Amino acid sequence: MTSTSLITGASSGLGTEYARQLARRGDRLVLVARNEARLEELAGELTGAGAAGVEVLSADLSSPAGAASVVDRLTDAARPIDVLINSAGFGLPLAFENSDIEDEARHLMLHVEVPMRLMHAALPGMLARRSGTILNIASVAAFMPRSTYGAVKSWQVMFSRWANSRYRSRGVTVTAVCPGYTHTEFHERLGLAKGEEGIPDWQWLEAPRVVEESLRDVAKGKAVSVPSKRYKAITTVAKLAPTGLMAKLAARGR
Ligand SMILES: NC(=O)c1ccc[n+]([C@@H]2O[C@H](COP(=O)([O-])OP(=O)(O)OC[C@H]3O[C@@H](n4cnc5c(N)ncnc54)[C@H](OP(=O)(O)O)[C@@H]3O)[C@@H](O)[C@H]2O)c1
């Protein structure tokens, strides 16, 4: 049976890669982001790549009206969503004490309030059908003290762990995907040109691999997926190491 997958942040990076891999398996896709032109271009590509159908839903998720339009789509009983991927996100360029508090509030909203609202909208239908899959794209930063970014990602991991344990036996899995540094537009949007991020080459991952590995973990019903052996090792150490040491190490890259 054809699945319908709704992906936020589909216009770039990991969201685009999820859309490509799910199109190849024949899913119907609902693409969400602000940049409508990029979503339309991607929709054309995905239709040629095997997607059963592609809808473009342009929305600014940091506005209540934008988030509400996606909630409406998720609760449309005539067109059920089987897979929800919360990938929309961004980083903040300044240290917390210097950042604009309104930017911080948007950051908190996009990474915490919006995924919570979208999950809350998607879950009743999924539970009624006894089938559903939710992915929250968190980060390895969830396991280290790293300003508000680490804090919001840690919320995503903790909430996914709880939700997976609560709903898995009722047919709905919830997985927090925790990538390490991955080549996307994330760092460029922070104002850092390629090579200026202060991150050694060995720490970079490529989006296709992150997505492929995470989808394997999702199929196994895991609550947390940390793609790549090197980041599995790093997160294991991070859970045991003292907070001060991890905060220093985490402050090195952007
Ligand atoms: N890249 C990494 O190193 C890395 C590592 C760990 C975790 N992550 C996480 O992975 C997720 C995806 O990031 P990425 O690396 O793929 O970055 P990216 O290439 O910059 O993509 C971010 C996506 O989020 C969308 N977005 C941003 N603000 C939005 C808003 N207000 N409303 C709707 N959509 C919005 C953007 O689309 P529009 O601009 O078109 O709206 C874009 O599609 C994020 O949650 C990020 O925190 C990234």
Side-chain angles (χ1 to χ4, degrees):
M1 215 183 72
T2 305
S3 276
T4 303
S5 298
L6 184 147
I7 304 169
T8 73
S11 64
S12 170
L14 290 164
T16 295
E17 187 56 32
Y18 277 107
R20 288 192 171 127
Q21 294 197 21
L22 297 181
R24 287 205 289 273
R25 79 175 191 193
D27 279 21
R28 191 175 294 116
L29 295 160
V30 184
L31 308 176
V32 180
R34 290 166 301 186
N35 191 326
E36 192 168 3
R38 281 180 76 164
L39 293 179
E40 291 291 356
E41 193 184 331
L42 180 64
E45 176 197 319
L46 299 176
T47 305
V54 187
E55 278 172 57
V56 164
L57 204 176
S58 159
D60 179 353
L61 290 167
S62 64
S63 79
S69 69
V70 182
V71 165
D72 284 350
R73 180 62 190 85
L74 284 164
T75 50
D76 181 346
R79 299 180 297 159
I81 299 292
D82 306 291
V83 179
L84 164 64
I85 303 181
N86 285 306
S87 188
F90 67 97
L92 291 166
L94 299 175
F96 176 67
E97 67 277 17
N98 299 323
S99 66
D100 183 315
I101 193 62
E102 296 311 323
D103 288 344
E104 289 284 357
R106 268 190 293 278
H107 180 258
L108 182 67
M109 182 178 180
L110 195 62
H111 292 272
V112 177
E113 183 179 336
V114 167
M116 180 187 69
R117 283 184 184 279
L118 302 192
M119 280 188 271
H120 189 259
L123 267 166
M126 289 179 172
L127 291 170
R129 296 189 295 278
R130 297 196 64 81
S131 170
T133 305
I134 298 176
L135 281 74
N136 292 314
I137 313 309
S139 167
V140 294
F143 305 104
M144 29 195 100
R146 187 157 186 184
S147 191
T148 46
Y149 187 71
V152 296
K153 294 302 183 183
S154 146
W155 182 91
Q156 293 182 344
V157 169
M158 284 309 285
F159 190 67
S160 301
R161 276 203 174 117
W162 170 81
N164 197 55
S165 72
R166 173 125 184 140
Y167 300 121
R168 194 179 155 171
S169 62
R170 295 167 66 188
V172 179
T173 63
V174 182
T175 305
V177 178
C178 300
Y181 294 114
T182 307
H183 282 125
T184 64
E185 290 179 17
F186 186 88
H187 295 88
E188 196 183 313
R189 288 178 194 234
L190 269 171
L192 299 166
K194 206 167 178 194
E196 277 181 16
E197 310 92 346
I199 299 153
D201 284 351
W202 68 268
Q203 283 191 22
W204 284 104
L205 299 173
E206 300 306 323
R209 176 174 173 194
V210 168
V211 169
E212 204 179 302
E213 278 196 37
S214 72
L215 288 175
R216 276 203 294 271
D217 286 340
V218 167
K220 290 178 196 153
K222 287 192 179 177
V224 179
S225 168
V226 181
S228 85
K229 282 193 183 127
R230 73 199 100 141
Y231 279 106
K232 280 186 179 69
I234 288 171
T235 51
T236 304
V237 172
K239 283 176 206 158
L240 304 170
T243 302
L245 174 65
M246 282 320 297
K248 266 190 203 149
L249 292 175
R252 284 190 179 165
R254 295 302 303 273

